[in-house]
Amino acid sequence: MTKRRWQTALDVAVGLFLAFIVVAGTLESRSYGELAGGLVVVAGSVATARRYPAVSLGIALSGALAVPFPYGNRVPAWVIFVLVAMSYQAGLRIAKRC
């Protein structure tokens, strides 16, 4: 496999891992609106991570700020995983461009 295919495979693996974290965290609370919002945040962040890392980070940050508010005192753990993973990927890709 070429380097680009490995990078794409890694992006898909990160996306699947984050989607699994979202599904596992929201099925327990039976919050299907949070599930839909979380999967949209993960899909948007992973899809834009390679070409537009700043946009990817913005999507993750806006999702981290918007999604947890309607759920009272409970802070979903998936928000932390998505924000950390997308911040790390954006940092790597922005540093390569400079």
Side-chain angles (χ1 to χ4, degrees):
M1 288 181 84
T2 64
K3 183 178 178 182
R4 182 156 173 94
R5 286 186 187 225
W6 278 110
Q7 290 172 342
T8 303
L10 182 62
D11 286 347
V12 170
V14 167
L16 289 174
F17 173 74
L18 292 175
F20 173 76
I21 296 292
V22 170
V23 170
T26 56
L27 287 181
E28 178 182 314
S29 65
R30 296 181 189 252
S31 176
Y32 300 112
E34 181 185 351
L35 174 64
L39 291 177
V40 166
V41 168
V42 168
S45 291
V46 172
T48 59
R50 180 150 318 273
R51 185 162 291 190
Y52 305 108
V55 172
S56 173
L57 185 57
I59 292 170
L61 185 59
S62 65
L65 293 176
V67 171
F69 284 125
Y71 305 107
N73 293 331
R74 187 179 73 82
V75 176
W78 67 263
V79 172
I80 298 165
F81 282 101
V82 170
L83 194 55
V84 168
M86 292 298 108
S87 297
Y88 179 73
Q89 280 193 341
L92 285 178
R93 296 201 171 116
I94 289 173
K96 285 182 182 178
R97 291 180 184 220
C98 293

Coordinates of all heavy atoms in Angstrom, one line a residue:
M1 N 0.8 -1.2 0.0 CA 0.0 0.0 0.0 C 0.9 1.2 0.0 O 1.9 1.3 0.6 CB -0.9 0.0 1.2 CG -2.0 -1.0 1.2 SD -3.1 -0.9 2.7 CE -4.2 0.4 2.2
T2 N 0.4 2.2 -0.7 CA 1.1 3.5 -0.7 C 0.9 4.3 0.6 O 0.0 4.0 1.3 CB 0.7 4.3 -1.9 OG1 -0.7 4.7 -1.8 CG2 0.9 3.6 -3.2
K3 N 1.7 5.4 0.7 CA 1.6 6.2 1.9 C 0.2 6.8 2.0 O -0.4 6.9 3.0 CB 2.7 7.2 1.9 CG 2.7 8.1 3.1 CD 3.8 9.1 3.1 CE 3.7 10.0 4.3 NZ 4.8 11.0 4.3
R4 N -0.3 7.3 0.8 CA -1.6 8.0 0.8 C -2.7 7.0 1.2 O -3.7 7.4 1.9 CB -1.9 8.5 -0.6 CG -3.2 9.3 -0.6 CD -3.2 10.3 -1.8 NE -4.5 10.8 -2.0 CZ -4.9 12.0 -1.4 NH1 -4.1 12.6 -0.6 NH2 -6.1 12.5 -1.6
R5 N -2.7 5.8 0.8 CA -3.7 4.8 1.2 C -3.6 4.5 2.7 O -4.7 4.3 3.3 CB -3.5 3.5 0.4 CG -4.0 3.7 -1.0 CD -3.9 2.4 -1.7 NE -4.2 2.6 -3.1 CZ -5.0 1.8 -3.8 NH1 -5.7 0.8 -3.3 NH2 -5.2 2.1 -5.1
W6 N -2.4 4.4 3.2 CA -2.3 4.2 4.7 C -2.9 5.4 5.5 O -3.6 5.2 6.5 CB -0.8 4.0 5.1 CG -0.3 2.6 4.9 CD1 0.6 2.2 3.9 CD2 -0.7 1.5 5.6 NE1 0.8 0.9 4.0 CE2 0.0 0.4 5.0 CE3 -1.6 1.2 6.6 CZ2 -0.2 -0.9 5.5 CZ3 -1.7 -0.1 7.1 CH2 -1.0 -1.1 6.6
Q7 N -2.7 6.6 5.0 CA -3.2 7.8 5.6 C -4.7 7.7 5.6 O -5.4 8.1 6.5 CB -2.7 9.0 5.0 CG -1.2 9.3 5.3 CD -0.6 10.4 4.5 OE1 -1.2 10.9 3.5 NE2 0.5 10.9 5.0
T8 N -5.3 7.4 4.4 CA -6.7 7.3 4.3 C -7.3 6.2 5.2 O -8.3 6.4 5.8 CB -7.1 7.0 2.8 OG1 -6.5 8.1 2.0 CG2 -8.6 7.0 2.6
A9 N -6.6 5.1 5.2 CA -7.1 4.0 6.1 C -7.0 4.4 7.6 O -7.9 4.1 8.3 CB -6.2 2.7 5.9
L10 N -6.0 5.2 7.9 CA -5.9 5.7 9.3 C -7.1 6.6 9.6 O -7.7 6.6 10.7 CB -4.6 6.3 9.6 CG -4.3 6.8 11.0 CD1 -4.4 5.7 12.0 CD2 -3.0 7.6 11.0
D11 N -7.4 7.5 8.7 CA -8.5 8.4 8.8 C -9.8 7.7 9.0 O -10.6 8.0 9.9 CB -8.6 9.4 7.6 CG -7.5 10.4 7.6 OD1 -6.8 10.6 8.7 OD2 -7.4 11.1 6.6
V12 N -10.0 6.7 8.2 CA -11.2 5.9 8.3 C -11.3 5.1 9.7 O -12.3 5.1 10.3 CB -11.4 4.9 7.2 CG1 -12.5 3.8 7.4 CG2 -11.6 5.6 5.9
A13 N -10.1 4.6 10.1 CA -10.1 3.9 11.4 C -10.4 4.9 12.6 O -11.1 4.5 13.5 CB -8.7 3.3 11.6
V14 N -9.9 6.1 12.5 CA -10.2 7.1 13.5 C -11.6 7.4 13.5 O -12.3 7.5 14.6 CB -9.3 8.4 13.3 CG1 -9.8 9.5 14.2 CG2 -7.8 8.1 13.7
G15 N -12.2 7.6 12.3 CA -13.6 7.9 12.2 C -14.5 6.8 12.8 O -15.5 7.1 13.5
L16 N -14.2 5.6 12.5 CA -14.9 4.4 13.0 C -14.8 4.3 14.5 O -15.8 4.0 15.2 CB -14.5 3.1 12.3 CG -14.9 3.0 10.8 CD1 -14.3 1.7 10.3 CD2 -16.4 3.0 10.7
F17 N -13.6 4.5 15.0 CA -13.4 4.5 16.5 C -14.3 5.6 17.2 O -14.9 5.3 18.1 CB -11.9 4.7 16.8 CG -11.7 4.8 18.3 CD1 -11.8 3.7 19.1 CD2 -11.4 6.0 18.9 CE1 -11.6 3.8 20.5 CE2 -11.2 6.2 20.2 CZ -11.3 5.1 21.0
L18 N -14.2 6.8 16.6 CA -15.0 7.9 17.2 C -16.5 7.6 17.1 O -17.3 7.9 18.0 CB -14.6 9.2 16.6 CG -13.2 9.7 16.9 CD1 -12.9 11.0 16.1 CD2 -13.0 10.0 18.4
A19 N -16.9 7.1 16.0 CA -18.3 6.7 15.8 C -18.8 5.7 16.8 O -19.9 5.8 17.4 CB -18.6 6.3 14.4
F20 N -17.9 4.7 17.1 CA -18.2 3.7 18.1 C -18.3 4.3 19.4 O -19.2 3.9 20.2 CB -17.1 2.6 18.1 CG -17.2 1.6 19.2 CD1 -18.2 0.6 19.1 CD2 -16.4 1.7 20.3 CE1 -18.4 -0.3 20.2 CE2 -16.6 0.8 21.3 CZ -17.5 -0.2 21.3
I21 N -17.4 5.2 19.8 CA -17.5 5.9 21.1 C -18.8 6.7 21.2 O -19.5 6.7 22.3 CB -16.3 6.9 21.3 CG1 -15.0 6.1 21.3 CG2 -16.5 7.7 22.5 CD1 -14.8 5.2 22.5
V22 N -19.2 7.4 20.1 CA -20.5 8.1 20.1 C -21.7 7.2 20.4 O -22.5 7.4 21.2 CB -20.7 8.9 18.9 CG1 -22.1 9.5 18.8 CG2 -19.7 10.0 18.8
V23 N -21.7 6.1 19.6 CA -22.8 5.1 19.7 C -22.9 4.5 21.1 O -23.9 4.4 21.7 CB -22.7 4.1 18.6 CG1 -23.7 2.9 18.8 CG2 -22.9 4.7 17.2
A24 N -21.7 4.1 21.6 CA -21.7 3.4 22.9 C -22.1 4.4 24.0 O -22.8 4.0 24.9 CB -20.3 2.9 23.2
G25 N -21.8 5.7 23.9 CA -22.1 6.6 24.9 C -23.6 7.1 24.9 O -24.2 7.4 25.9
T26 N -24.2 7.1 23.7 CA -25.5 7.6 23.6 C -26.6 6.5 23.7 O -27.7 6.8 24.1 CB -25.7 8.4 22.3 OG1 -25.4 7.5 21.2 CG2 -24.9 9.6 22.2
L27 N -26.3 5.3 23.4 CA -27.3 4.2 23.5 C -27.6 3.9 25.0 O -28.7 3.6 25.3 CB -26.8 2.9 22.8 CG -26.8 3.0 21.3 CD1 -26.3 1.6 20.8 CD2 -28.2 3.3 20.8
E28 N -26.6 4.2 25.9 CA -26.8 3.9 27.3 C -27.9 4.9 27.8 O -28.7 4.6 28.6 CB -25.5 4.1 28.0 CG -25.6 4.0 29.5 CD -24.3 4.2 30.2 OE1 -23.3 3.7 29.7 OE2 -24.2 4.9 31.2
S29 N -27.8 6.2 27.3 CA -28.7 7.2 27.8 C -30.0 7.3 27.0 O -30.9 8.1 27.3 CB -28.0 8.6 27.9 OG -27.7 8.9 26.5
R30 N -30.0 6.5 25.9 CA -31.2 6.5 25.0 C -31.5 7.9 24.5 O -32.6 8.3 24.4 CB -32.4 5.9 25.6 CG -32.2 4.5 25.9 CD -33.5 3.9 26.6 NE -33.2 2.6 27.1 CZ -33.7 1.5 26.5 NH1 -34.4 1.5 25.4 NH2 -33.4 0.3 27.0
S31 N -30.5 8.7 24.1 CA -30.6 10.0 23.6 C -30.3 10.0 22.1 O -29.1 10.1 21.7 CB -29.6 10.9 24.4 OG -29.7 12.2 23.8
Y32 N -31.3 9.8 21.3 CA -31.1 9.6 19.9 C -30.8 11.0 19.2 O -30.2 10.9 18.1 CB -32.4 9.0 19.3 CG -32.6 7.6 19.9 CD1 -33.7 7.4 20.7 CD2 -31.6 6.6 19.8 CE1 -33.8 6.1 21.3 CE2 -31.8 5.4 20.4 CZ -32.9 5.1 21.2 OH -33.1 3.9 21.8
G33 N -31.2 12.1 19.7 CA -30.8 13.4 19.2 C -29.3 13.6 19.4 O -28.6 14.1 18.5
E34 N -28.8 13.2 20.5 CA -27.4 13.3 20.8 C -26.6 12.3 19.8 O -25.5 12.7 19.3 CB -27.1 13.0 22.2 CG -25.6 13.1 22.6 CD -25.4 12.6 24.0 OE1 -26.3 12.4 24.8 OE2 -24.2 12.5 24.3
L35 N -27.2 11.2 19.6 CA -26.5 10.2 18.7 C -26.4 10.8 17.3 O -25.3 10.8 16.7 CB -27.3 8.9 18.7 CG -26.9 7.9 17.7 CD1 -25.5 7.4 18.0 CD2 -27.9 6.7 17.6
A36 N -27.5 11.4 16.8 CA -27.5 11.9 15.5 C -26.5 13.1 15.4 O -25.7 13.2 14.5 CB -28.9 12.4 15.1
G37 N -26.6 14.0 16.4 CA -25.6 15.1 16.4 C -24.2 14.7 16.5 O -23.3 15.2 15.8
G38 N -23.9 13.7 17.3 CA -22.6 13.2 17.5 C -22.0 12.6 16.2 O -20.9 12.8 15.8
L39 N -22.8 11.8 15.5 CA -22.4 11.2 14.3 C -22.2 12.2 13.2 O -21.2 12.1 12.4 CB -23.4 10.1 13.8 CG -23.4 8.9 14.7 CD1 -24.5 7.9 14.3 CD2 -22.0 8.2 14.8
V40 N -23.0 13.3 13.2 CA -22.8 14.3 12.2 C -21.5 15.1 12.5 O -20.7 15.4 11.6 CB -24.0 15.3 12.2 CG1 -23.6 16.6 11.5 CG2 -25.2 14.7 11.6
V41 N -21.2 15.3 13.8 CA -19.9 16.0 14.1 C -18.7 15.1 13.7 O -17.7 15.6 13.2 CB -19.9 16.3 15.6 CG1 -18.5 16.7 16.1 CG2 -20.9 17.4 16.0
V42 N -18.8 13.8 14.0 CA -17.7 12.9 13.7 C -17.5 12.8 12.2 O -16.4 13.0 11.7 CB -17.9 11.5 14.3 CG1 -16.9 10.5 13.7 CG2 -17.8 11.6 15.8
A43 N -18.6 12.7 11.5 CA -18.5 12.6 10.0 C -17.9 13.8 9.4 O -17.0 13.8 8.5 CB -19.8 12.2 9.4
G44 N -18.4 15.0 9.8 CA -17.9 16.2 9.3 C -16.5 16.5 9.6 O -15.7 17.0 8.8
S45 N -16.1 16.2 10.8 CA -14.7 16.4 11.2 C -13.7 15.5 10.5 O -12.7 15.9 10.0 CB -14.5 16.2 12.8 OG -15.2 17.2 13.5
V46 N -14.1 14.2 10.4 CA -13.2 13.3 9.7 C -13.1 13.6 8.2 O -12.1 13.5 7.6 CB -13.6 11.8 10.0 CG1 -12.8 10.9 9.2 CG2 -13.4 11.5 11.5
A47 N -14.3 13.9 7.6 CA -14.3 14.2 6.2 C -13.5 15.4 5.8 O -12.9 15.4 4.7 CB -15.7 14.3 5.7
T48 N -13.4 16.4 6.6 CA -12.7 17.6 6.3 C -11.3 17.7 6.9 O -10.5 18.6 6.6 CB -13.4 18.9 6.7 OG1 -13.6 18.8 8.2 CG2 -14.8 19.0 6.0
A49 N -10.9 16.6 7.6 CA -9.6 16.7 8.3 C -8.4 16.8 7.4 O -7.4 17.5 7.7 CB -9.5 15.5 9.2
R50 N -8.4 16.1 6.3 CA -7.2 16.0 5.5 C -7.0 17.3 4.7 O -5.9 17.9 4.7 CB -7.3 14.9 4.5 CG -6.0 14.8 3.6 CD -5.6 13.5 3.1 NE -5.7 12.4 4.1 CZ -4.8 12.1 4.9 NH1 -3.6 12.8 5.0 NH2 -4.9 11.1 5.8
R51 N -8.0 17.8 4.1 CA -7.8 19.0 3.2 C -8.0 20.3 4.0 O -7.3 21.3 3.7 CB -8.8 19.0 2.1 CG -8.6 20.1 1.1 CD -9.2 19.9 -0.2 NE -8.5 18.8 -0.9 CZ -8.7 18.5 -2.1 NH1 -9.6 19.2 -2.8 NH2 -8.1 17.5 -2.7
Y52 N -8.9 20.4 4.9 CA -9.1 21.6 5.7 C -9.1 21.3 7.2 O -10.1 21.2 7.8 CB -10.5 22.1 5.3 CG -10.7 22.4 3.9 CD1 -11.6 21.5 3.1 CD2 -10.1 23.4 3.2 CE1 -11.8 21.7 1.8 CE2 -10.3 23.6 1.8 CZ -11.1 22.8 1.1 OH -11.3 23.0 -0.2
P53 N -7.9 21.2 7.7 CA -7.8 20.8 9.2 C -8.4 21.9 10.1 O -8.9 21.5 11.1 CB -6.3 20.7 9.4 CG -5.6 21.3 8.2 CD -6.6 21.3 7.1
A54 N -8.3 23.1 9.7 CA -8.9 24.2 10.6 C -10.4 24.1 10.6 O -11.1 24.2 11.7 CB -8.5 25.6 10.2
V55 N -11.0 23.7 9.5 CA -12.5 23.5 9.4 C -12.9 22.3 10.3 O -13.9 22.3 11.0 CB -12.9 23.4 8.0 CG1 -14.4 23.0 7.9 CG2 -12.7 24.7 7.2
S56 N -12.1 21.3 10.2 CA -12.3 20.0 10.9 C -12.3 20.3 12.4 O -13.2 19.9 13.2 CB -11.3 19.0 10.6 OG -11.4 17.9 11.4
L57 N -11.3 21.1 12.8 CA -11.2 21.5 14.3 C -12.4 22.3 14.7 O -12.9 22.2 15.8 CB -9.9 22.2 14.5 CG -9.6 22.6 16.0 CD1 -9.6 21.3 16.8 CD2 -8.3 23.3 16.0
G58 N -12.8 23.2 13.8 CA -14.0 24.1 14.1 C -15.3 23.3 14.2 O -16.1 23.6 15.1
I59 N -15.4 22.3 13.4 CA -16.6 21.4 13.5 C -16.6 20.6 14.8 O -17.6 20.6 15.5 CB -16.7 20.4 12.3 CG1 -17.0 21.2 11.0 CG2 -17.7 19.3 12.5 CD1 -16.8 20.3 9.8
A60 N -15.4 20.1 15.2 CA -15.3 19.4 16.4 C -15.6 20.3 17.6 O -16.3 19.9 18.6 CB -14.0 18.7 16.5
L61 N -15.1 21.5 17.6 CA -15.3 22.4 18.7 C -16.7 22.9 18.8 O -17.3 22.9 19.9 CB -14.3 23.6 18.5 CG -14.3 24.6 19.6 CD1 -13.9 24.0 20.9 CD2 -13.4 25.8 19.3
S62 N -17.3 23.2 17.7 CA -18.7 23.6 17.7 C -19.6 22.5 18.2 O -20.6 22.7 18.9 CB -19.2 24.1 16.4 OG -19.2 23.1 15.4
G63 N -19.3 21.2 17.8 CA -20.1 20.1 18.3 C -19.9 19.9 19.8 O -20.8 19.5 20.5
A64 N -18.6 20.1 20.2 CA -18.4 19.9 21.6 C -19.1 21.0 22.5 O -19.5 20.7 23.6 CB -16.9 20.0 21.9
L65 N -19.3 22.1 21.9 CA -20.0 23.2 22.6 C -21.5 23.1 22.5 O -22.2 23.4 23.5 CB -19.5 24.6 22.1 CG -18.1 24.9 22.4 CD1 -17.7 26.2 21.8 CD2 -17.8 25.0 23.9
A66 N -22.0 22.6 21.4 CA -23.5 22.7 21.1 C -24.2 21.4 21.6 O -25.3 21.5 22.1 CB -23.7 22.9 19.6
V67 N -23.6 20.3 21.4 CA -24.3 19.0 21.6 C -24.6 18.8 23.1 O -25.7 18.3 23.4 CB -23.6 17.8 21.0 CG1 -24.2 16.5 21.4 CG2 -23.6 18.0 19.5
P68 N -23.7 19.0 24.1 CA -24.0 18.6 25.5 C -25.1 19.4 26.2 O -25.6 19.0 27.2 CB -22.7 18.7 26.2 CG -21.7 18.8 25.1 CD -22.3 19.3 23.9
F69 N -25.3 20.7 25.7 CA -26.2 21.6 26.5 C -27.6 21.1 26.8 O -28.1 21.2 27.9 CB -26.2 22.9 25.9 CG -25.0 23.7 26.1 CD1 -24.3 24.2 25.1 CD2 -24.5 23.9 27.4 CE1 -23.1 25.0 25.3 CE2 -23.3 24.6 27.7 CZ -22.6 25.1 26.6
P70 N -28.3 20.4 25.9 CA -29.6 20.0 26.2 C -29.8 18.8 27.2 O -30.9 18.4 27.5 CB -30.2 19.6 24.8 CG -29.3 20.1 23.8 CD -28.0 20.3 24.5
Y71 N -28.7 18.3 27.7 CA -28.8 17.1 28.4 C -28.5 17.3 29.9 O -28.1 16.3 30.6 CB -27.8 16.0 27.8 CG -28.1 15.9 26.4 CD1 -27.2 16.4 25.4 CD2 -29.2 15.2 25.9 CE1 -27.5 16.3 24.1 CE2 -29.5 15.1 24.6 CZ -28.6 15.6 23.7 OH -28.9 15.5 22.3
G72 N -28.7 18.5 30.4 CA -28.7 18.7 31.9 C -27.3 18.6 32.4 O -26.3 19.1 31.9
N73 N -27.2 17.9 33.5 CA -25.9 17.8 34.2 C -25.0 16.7 33.7 O -23.8 16.6 34.1 CB -26.2 17.4 35.7 CG -26.9 18.6 36.4 OD1 -26.7 19.7 36.0 ND2 -27.7 18.2 37.4
R74 N -25.4 16.0 32.7 CA -24.6 14.9 32.1 C -23.7 15.5 31.0 O -24.2 16.1 30.0 CB -25.5 13.8 31.6 CG -24.7 12.6 31.1 CD -25.7 11.5 30.6 NE -26.2 11.9 29.3 CZ -25.6 11.7 28.2 NH1 -24.4 11.1 28.1 NH2 -26.2 12.0 27.0
V75 N -22.4 15.3 31.1 CA -21.5 15.6 30.0 C -21.1 14.4 29.3 O -20.5 13.5 29.9 CB -20.3 16.4 30.5 CG1 -19.3 16.7 29.4 CG2 -20.7 17.6 31.2
P76 N -21.4 14.2 28.0 CA -21.1 13.0 27.3 C -19.6 12.9 27.1 O -18.9 13.8 26.8 CB -21.8 13.2 25.9 CG -22.6 14.4 26.0 CD -22.2 15.1 27.2
A77 N -19.1 11.7 27.3 CA -17.6 11.4 27.2 C -17.2 11.5 25.8 O -16.0 11.8 25.5 CB -17.3 10.1 27.8
W78 N -18.0 11.2 24.8 CA -17.6 11.2 23.4 C -17.1 12.5 22.9 O -16.3 12.6 22.1 CB -18.7 10.6 22.5 CG -19.9 11.5 22.4 CD1 -21.1 11.3 23.1 CD2 -20.1 12.6 21.5 NE1 -22.0 12.3 22.7 CE2 -21.4 13.1 21.8 CE3 -19.3 13.2 20.6 CZ2 -21.9 14.2 21.1 CZ3 -19.8 14.3 19.9 CH2 -21.1 14.8 20.2
V79 N -17.7 13.6 23.5 CA -17.3 14.9 23.1 C -15.8 15.1 23.4 O -15.1 15.7 22.6 CB -18.1 16.0 23.9 CG1 -17.6 17.4 23.7 CG2 -19.5 15.9 23.6
I80 N -15.3 14.6 24.5 CA -13.8 14.8 24.8 C -13.0 14.0 23.8 O -12.0 14.5 23.3 CB -13.6 14.3 26.3 CG1 -14.4 15.2 27.2 CG2 -12.1 14.3 26.6 CD1 -14.5 14.6 28.6
F81 N -13.4 12.8 23.5 CA -12.6 12.0 22.5 C -12.6 12.6 21.2 O -11.5 12.7 20.5 CB -13.3 10.6 22.4 CG -12.9 9.6 23.5 CD1 -13.9 9.4 24.5 CD2 -11.7 9.0 23.6 CE1 -13.6 8.6 25.6 CE2 -11.4 8.1 24.6 CZ -12.3 7.9 25.6
V82 N -13.7 13.1 20.7 CA -13.7 13.8 19.4 C -12.9 15.0 19.4 O -12.1 15.2 18.4 CB -15.2 14.1 19.0 CG1 -15.2 15.0 17.7 CG2 -16.0 12.8 18.7
L83 N -13.0 15.8 20.4 CA -12.2 17.1 20.4 C -10.7 16.8 20.5 O -9.9 17.4 19.8 CB -12.7 17.9 21.6 CG -12.2 19.4 21.6 CD1 -12.6 20.1 20.4 CD2 -12.8 20.1 22.8
V84 N -10.3 15.8 21.3 CA -8.9 15.5 21.4 C -8.3 14.9 20.1 O -7.3 15.4 19.6 CB -8.6 14.6 22.6 CG1 -7.2 14.0 22.6 CG2 -8.9 15.3 23.9
A85 N -9.0 14.0 19.5 CA -8.6 13.4 18.3 C -8.5 14.4 17.1 O -7.5 14.4 16.4 CB -9.5 12.2 17.9
M86 N -9.5 15.2 17.0 CA -9.5 16.2 15.9 C -8.5 17.3 16.1 O -7.8 17.8 15.2 CB -10.9 16.7 15.7 CG -11.9 15.7 15.1 SD -11.4 15.1 13.5 CE -10.9 13.4 13.9
S87 N -8.2 17.6 17.4 CA -7.2 18.7 17.7 C -5.8 18.1 17.3 O -5.0 18.8 16.8 CB -7.3 19.0 19.2 OG -8.5 19.6 19.5
Y88 N -5.6 16.9 17.7 CA -4.3 16.2 17.4 C -4.1 16.2 15.9 O -3.0 16.5 15.4 CB -4.2 14.9 18.0 CG -2.9 14.1 17.7 CD1 -1.8 14.5 18.3 CD2 -2.9 13.1 16.8 CE1 -0.6 13.9 18.1 CE2 -1.7 12.4 16.6 CZ -0.6 12.8 17.2 OH 0.6 12.2 16.9
Q89 N -5.1 15.7 15.1 CA -4.9 15.6 13.7 C -4.8 17.0 13.0 O -3.9 17.1 12.1 CB -6.2 14.9 13.1 CG -6.1 13.4 13.2 CD -7.1 12.7 12.3 OE1 -8.1 13.4 11.9 NE2 -6.9 11.5 12.1
A90 N -5.5 17.9 13.5 CA -5.4 19.3 12.9 C -4.0 19.9 13.2 O -3.4 20.5 12.3 CB -6.5 20.2 13.5
G91 N -3.5 19.6 14.4 CA -2.2 20.1 14.7 C -1.1 19.5 13.9 O -0.2 20.2 13.4
L92 N -1.2 18.2 13.6 CA -0.2 17.6 12.7 C -0.3 18.1 11.3 O 0.7 18.4 10.7 CB -0.5 16.1 12.7 CG -0.1 15.2 13.9 CD1 -0.5 13.8 13.7 CD2 1.4 15.4 14.2
R93 N -1.5 18.3 10.8 CA -1.6 18.7 9.4 C -1.3 20.2 9.2 O -0.8 20.5 8.1 CB -3.0 18.3 8.9 CG -3.2 16.8 9.0 CD -4.2 16.3 8.1 NE -4.1 14.8 8.0 CZ -5.0 14.0 8.5 NH1 -6.1 14.5 9.0 NH2 -4.8 12.7 8.4
I94 N -1.7 21.0 10.1 CA -1.3 22.4 10.0 C 0.2 22.6 10.1 O 0.8 23.4 9.4 CB -2.1 23.2 11.1 CG1 -3.6 23.3 10.7 CG2 -1.5 24.7 11.1 CD1 -4.5 23.9 11.8
A95 N 0.8 21.9 11.0 CA 2.3 21.9 11.1 C 3.0 21.5 9.8 O 4.0 22.1 9.5 CB 2.8 21.1 12.3
K96 N 2.4 20.5 9.1 CA 3.1 20.1 7.9 C 2.9 21.1 6.8 O 3.8 21.2 5.9 CB 2.4 18.8 7.4 CG 2.8 17.6 8.2 CD 2.1 16.3 7.6 CE 2.5 15.1 8.5 NZ 1.8 13.9 8.0
R97 N 1.9 21.9 6.8 CA 1.7 22.9 5.8 C 2.6 24.2 5.9 O 2.8 24.9 5.0 CB 0.2 23.4 5.7 CG -0.7 22.3 5.2 CD -2.1 22.7 5.2 NE -2.9 21.6 4.8 CZ -3.9 21.7 4.0 NH1 -4.3 22.9 3.5 NH2 -4.6 20.6 3.7
C98 N 3.0 24.4 7.1 CA 3.8 25.6 7.4 C 5.3 25.4 7.1 O 5.8 24.4 7.1 CB 3.6 26.1 8.8 SG 2.0 26.6 9.2

